[in-house]
Amino acid sequence: TSFAKSLLETSDNLSRAMDAVPEELRKDTENHPVLATLYEGIHMTDSGLSKAFNKNGLKKFGESGDKFDPNMHEALFEYPDENMDAGSV
């Protein structure tokens, strides 16, 4: 449904937001308390959304960087990423 697709897009955006925070700053509450707290909130939201997906039969599969397979994956768009090969998930 379009509702489910919208939620999947939201989940992807939450993951991108978490990936944008450098690992060394994610728990640095002393030097970067606002960023660390923001990261924690985004992580909690993503975890809650993932639990709701699982409870309703939606499960994530594959890993970032896997080759896109049109028999398994569905894509709304493709964007260039200097860290990935074209056609990667």
Side-chain angles (χ1 to χ4, degrees):
T1 67
S2 63
F3 180 69
K5 285 182 182 179
S6 295
L7 288 177
L8 290 170
E9 290 173 23
T10 300
S11 178
D12 288 344
N13 287 334
L14 290 169
S15 294
R16 277 193 280 281
M18 290 188 301
D19 290 344
V21 179
E23 247 183 90
E24 65 273 10
L25 301 180
R26 294 176 183 179
K27 296 186 181 195
D28 187 357
T29 56
E30 186 175 318
N31 298 310
H32 299 93
V34 173
L35 185 59
T37 302
L38 178 63
Y39 178 84
E40 181 182 16
I42 293 170
H43 186 269
M44 290 170 61
T45 303
D46 186 54
S47 293
L49 188 55
S50 292
K51 286 179 187 174
F53 285 157
N54 286 332
K55 184 177 178 182
N56 290 284
L58 293 171
K59 296 185 178 164
K60 289 185 178 184
F61 62 91
E63 296 292 325
S64 179
D66 286 354
K67 184 160 177 56
F68 180 80
D69 179 351
N71 296 311
M72 291 180 59
H73 304 111
E74 194 171 314
L76 299 174
F77 59 89
E78 181 178 6
Y79 66 92
D81 185 333
E82 61 190 38
N83 299 317
M84 301 273 187
D85 293 332
S88 296
V89 175

